[in-house]
Amino acid sequence: MRKILLTTVGTLGDLHPFIAIGLALKRRGHRPVLAVPADHVAKTQAAGLEAVAVLPSFDAIRERMGMGEDDAVKRVMADQTYLLEQVLLPWLESSTAALDEVVGGADVLVGSLFVFGAPIIAEKRRVPLVSVILQPMAILSVHTPPKTSDFWMLIQAPGSPIGVRWNRLAYGVIRKIMRLRYGRRVDEVRAHHGLSPACDPSMFDISRETALTLCCYSPIFGPPQKDAPANTEIVGFPIYDSQGGETEAPDPELEAFLAEGPPPLVFTLGSFAVYAPGDFYEEAAATARLLGTRAVLLTGERTRLQSEGDILVRAYAPHSTLFPRAAVIIHHGGIGTTGQALRAGKPQLVVPHMGDQADNAHRIRKMGIGLVLKARRFSARRAAPMIAALLDTPAYRAQAERVGALIRPENGAEAAAIAIERLLPLRDRAEMDIQAPE
């Protein structure tokens, strides 16, 4: 039994793929250990995996920020630089040290691109590093650059060598700026662990220490890029779907609601934006009433809304069972929710709030399976005609069903586990092949 350490930071959209991969590794006879923020430890353990805290909880982070929950979430969503400087970097030294304490005995270190300490510890301990990319935009391709406001200077779909050269130059400038701003802090931590200054120009690049780059999304959603690292594998979405970590008990009221009428609209803001939703859910309910449709609102625990008539309010429902029974899925564009919506084969209205969500939304629209409405413009008056178009235009439904049928057979977690196994010594891989289930 070989120990494989997996580490990630962020929301449930970041955690769930790592749980899915961890469970796949466990089924194949390994000993996966997840190094995660403190508020994800209990859920990971409930899923049946070992877990240790290497980062503080979000409550501890926001207390350092001196903000209440609502204000902290709004601030992070509004400014990605603030996210880096006030949420990630202040804990770089302590989280890297914590990671160093738990890596002992590990044969492979599997790290999110945003766990900046993972390449440091992999290099120090001479453990093969697997860099996990959850969002297609994180490849930072010159051919398909991110469609977000942070990368406004890049040319989308450059059609000439000049456009490609411009994007390459722009990335170079961005990397130099990042290095000038934050490189010293990274190098100080590296020095503490006996390493020389980093050669990588930016923390957001795939480390040169990486033995394998795992793109944990469908190649249909994020096709291979010519300038991706040579060791890149696109494995599909690793799907895990539980609120608390254990198997979800059936929800009789939800089941009855779904059975007693036509497919509803489903509105959700995932696991982070839901803590600062503004009037999203009030407008969602108003949208459903305006259209005369049924709706399920996944609002999280902190809501004053109540179920009424054709509108059912739930804190959470497993996406893998609810989404396939929806008419249209209206969501924020987080990669976990996006993956589930794609698998469900349903049209989508994406309302991006932060980070990669705008790029994910752009891809959904480009695939012909959905539309996009900016979060600040979301209202019943604007959303209703867009949802009506998704409901009334057969092409959206047909294309969504076609994409769903292609993505559902993918098993991203199992494919990721098999790819990780290739980094084990040949003797261990042979043993794992014998133990792996057929």
Side-chain angles (χ1 to χ4, degrees), residues 3 187 190 204 226 251 257 265 311 336 403 434:
K3 177 180 175 181
D187 286 342
R190 289 177 59 85
F204 296 105
K226 291 186 292 185
D251 182 338
F257 180 85
L265 306 177
I311 297 175
V403 169
I434 294 172

Side-chain angles (χ1 to χ4, degrees), residues 267-280:
F267 293 84
T268 178
L269 286 180
S271 63
F272 188 69
V274 72
Y275 289 104
D279 58 0
F280 176 86

Side-chain angles (χ1 to χ4, degrees), residues 252-264 294-296 307-312 325:
E253 188 177 356
L254 175 60
E255 286 299 318
F257 180 85
L258 293 171
E260 68 187 13
R294 292 154 32 92
V296 176
S307 299
E308 182 181 356
D310 283 340
I311 297 175
L312 183 69
R325 302 167 76 177

Side-chain angles (χ1 to χ4, degrees), residues 81-310:
T81 299
Y82 188 86
L83 169 64
L84 175 62
E85 295 179 350
Q86 298 300 323
V87 176
L88 298 178
L89 282 178
W91 312 97
L92 175 60
E93 183 176 355
S94 61
S95 64
T96 304
L99 198 60
D100 194 29
E101 289 181 4
V102 300
V103 76
D107 292 275
V108 181
L109 175 55
V110 182
S112 161
L113 197 63
F114 301 103
V115 179
F116 303 136
I120 296 173
I121 298 306
E123 182 178 352
K124 175 184 178 180
R125 298 296 183 181
R126 298 183 180 180
V127 176
L129 175 65
V130 177
S131 293
V132 173
I133 292 180
L134 300 179
Q135 306 91 349
M137 67 167 273
I139 286 291
L140 298 180
S141 171
V142 298
H143 305 286
T144 310
K147 183 74 171 179
T148 72
S149 59
D150 292 326
F151 293 90
W152 59 268
M153 73 296 295
L154 297 174
I155 298 174
Q156 294 294 320
S160 68
I162 294 177
V164 170
R165 285 198 295 270
W166 171 266
N167 284 351
R168 190 172 288 118
L169 175 64
Y171 277 136
V173 172
I174 293 170
R175 290 180 172 106
K176 287 181 180 178
I177 292 172
M178 295 291 291
R179 184 69 181 150
L180 287 171
R181 286 183 177 177
Y182 310 117
R184 179 178 295 179
R185 298 177 72 172
V186 175
D187 286 342
E188 287 173 354
V189 176
R190 289 177 59 85
H192 181 77
H193 289 272
L195 301 176
S196 59
C199 297
D200 294 343
S202 168
M203 292 175 292
F204 296 105
D205 279 300
I206 297 164
S207 170
R208 296 185 184 185
E209 297 300 315
T210 297
L212 171 66
T213 302
L214 279 184
C215 295
C216 292
Y217 48 79
S218 171
I220 297 168
F221 183 63
Q225 298 297 320
K226 291 186 292 185
D227 52 347
N231 59 7
T232 297
E233 290 192 38
I234 304 177
V235 296
F237 291 106
I239 298 297
Y240 177 78
D241 197 10
S242 170
Q243 177 74 341
E246 65 286 339
T247 302
E248 295 288 334
D251 182 338
E253 188 177 356
L254 175 60
E255 286 299 318
F257 180 85
L258 293 171
E260 68 187 13
L265 306 177
V266 174
F267 293 84
T268 178
L269 286 180
S271 63
F272 188 69
V274 72
Y275 289 104
D279 58 0
F280 176 86
Y281 288 109
E282 288 78 7
E283 292 294 331
T287 301
R289 294 190 185 100
L290 189 61
L291 290 170
T293 57
R294 292 154 32 92
V296 176
L297 278 54
L298 303 182
T299 62
E301 299 288 348
R302 298 172 178 83
T303 182
R304 295 187 296 272
L305 291 175
Q306 300 292 324
S307 299
E308 182 181 356
D310 283 340

Side-chain angles (χ1 to χ4, degrees), residues 414-436:
E414 189 73 9
I418 292 171
I420 292 167
E421 282 179 350
R422 297 194 193 107
L423 299 178
L424 296 173
L426 290 176
R427 174 181 57 81
D428 297 322
R429 284 159 48 189
E431 293 175 359
M432 291 308 114
D433 288 341
I434 294 172
Q435 297 179 24

